[in-house]
Amino acid sequence: MHQHIEWDAPGSASVSEYFKNDPDHRAPDPGDIISARYQGAMVRVKVEAYREDDAVSIGEVVAIIDSQGGRHQHHQKLEVGHIVRLPDDKRAMETTPKDA
């Protein structure tokens, strides 16, 4: 069973928006690491499966990184090791940590 997460909107860092006109862009494969934002943190997910019918990656949270670049084992109700569903429209490009 997966942990239900309300992902933050990716805004200008949207992977879908960035690649919308790139015919060579492909869906994530098992083993790929993809990113999204959750409650202000950057979350990395290792893809275990991809569902093309609803454009969703299913995978394990492998890192939670705050805006200063610090790594955490948990953030709000999300923990490293949780299995999550990550829709393509919530995937986000990673940004550089902000200076403290």
Side-chain angles (χ1 to χ4, degrees):
M1 191 58 143
H2 66 276
Q3 178 73 24
H4 179 75
I5 295 298
E6 292 293 330
W7 300 103
D8 296 350
S12 63
S14 170
V15 171
S16 296
E17 189 63 25
Y18 184 83
F19 287 108
K20 74 179 180 184
N21 295 321
D22 182 353
D24 295 327
H25 183 69
R26 59 174 179 73
D29 289 320
D32 287 350
I33 304 293
I34 58 177
S35 300
R37 294 181 179 153
Y38 171 65
Q39 303 290 316
M42 182 59 65
V43 177
R44 292 181 184 157
V45 174
K46 184 175 182 180
V47 176
E48 294 178 3
Y50 183 77
R51 293 178 41 111
E52 286 192 44
D53 57 327
D54 54 0
V56 170
S57 295
I58 301 167
E60 178 183 358
V61 173
V62 293
I64 301 171
I65 306 164
D66 65 29
S67 61
Q68 281 75 42
R71 292 178 175 260
H72 303 275
Q73 288 299 303
H74 59 85
H75 180 66
Q76 307 291 349
K77 68 177 190 174
L78 185 63
E79 295 182 15
V80 170
H82 276 166
I83 302 299
V84 296
R85 293 171 52 90
L86 176 51
D88 280 354
D89 66 349
K90 299 296 183 177
R91 289 177 53 202
M93 302 279 193
E94 290 203 29
T95 55
T96 346
K98 297 178 181 94
D99 293 329

